[in-house]
Amino acid sequence: MFIVRTAILWIIISTIINAYLMTLPIPVLRKRDYPANYLIKRNNRIDIQNNRECAAFSTAYVLRHFGMEADGDELYTNFPSKVRSGNVYPKGIRTVLRKKGFKTNYYKGNINTLKYEVSKGTPVIVFIKVHKDRNNLHFVPVVGYDKEYFYLSESLRQLVNCNDDNNSYNRKVPINEFRKLWNIKNINIPLYSNTYITVDATQS
């Protein structure tokens, strides 16, 4: 009984800490209609990060999507919600975008809800693992999908796996593989699998 109580207490405490540091994702499960295939086609460039700047590079990519010139390295210098290791909490991305005048939401969903959001025409920043069997976490914009793949604008050079003469994406991930990468829950962040940040096309 003591172990159960301790486990419940740990979950409550970690949830409160994470809610402050990361903001709590809003669960969405309602199925909406969306096209079978969709790719965001917008003149944008994909920059490659050097260390742990994926939050800033993802944010810069979204800002450029809206026609605002942004550089990942420059953004990262004063990026909010950064920890000593150099990693950034999701809250940091939302803070930067809000300061630029955009409305963001942080959702916990599934493959269908993610496809629906991408089909609105704005890159969606997902929170995934770098490798499915390790705990290093990564932010990356999803810019398209079809029945088999998600298409990403990847800022980690070692993960780039395609060059289809397309400046929208440089990585495609089979959907079953993506599910494993998207399952990031562990004892410290039990609620953060299948989460993503959406940005409203209309500035707030």
Side-chain angles (χ1 to χ4, degrees), residues 181-194:
L181 295 171
W182 210 18
N183 179 17
I184 64 169
K185 68 171 172 285
N186 63 39
I187 192 162
N188 296 319
I189 48 170
L191 302 176
Y192 290 84
S193 285
N194 300 16

Side-chain angles (χ1 to χ4, degrees), residues 1-3 14 18 23-24 34 39 54-56 86 88 94 98 101 108 119-120 125 146 158 167 170 175 185 193 203:
M1 193 63 192
F2 173 74
I3 293 169
S14 63
N18 287 332
T23 72
L24 280 176
Y34 53 81
L39 182 65
C54 60
V88 173
R94 299 187 67 193
R98 191 177 66 244
K108 180 180 175 70
S119 77
K120 290 179 177 180
I125 298 173
D146 54 29
Q158 69 268 29
N167 61 4
N170 58 357
I175 287 174
K185 68 171 172 285
S193 285
Q203 290 186 316

Side-chain angles (χ1 to χ4, degrees), residues 138-167:
H138 183 45
F139 294 107
V140 63
V142 179
V143 295
Y145 63 83
D146 54 29
K147 287 184 170 67
E148 293 176 65
Y149 294 98
F150 275 114
Y151 297 89
L152 314 180
S153 298
E154 181 55 69
S155 58
L156 278 173
R157 191 181 302 281
Q158 69 268 29
L159 299 178
V160 171
N161 65 6
C162 57
N163 181 7
D164 299 356
D165 294 329
N166 188 305
N167 61 4

Side-chain angles (χ1 to χ4, degrees), residues 3 6-18 22 129 135 137 183-193:
I3 293 169
T6 306
I8 290 168
L9 187 63
W10 171 250
I11 289 168
I12 290 167
I13 290 168
S14 63
T15 301
I16 291 166
I17 292 168
N18 287 332
M22 299 168 66
K129 293 184 206 173
N135 282 334
L137 300 179
N183 179 17
I184 64 169
K185 68 171 172 285
N186 63 39
I187 192 162
N188 296 319
I189 48 170
L191 302 176
Y192 290 84
S193 285

Side-chain angles (χ1 to χ4, degrees), residues 189-201:
I189 48 170
L191 302 176
Y192 290 84
S193 285
N194 300 16
T195 62
Y196 51 93
I197 296 169
T198 65
V199 186
D200 272 4

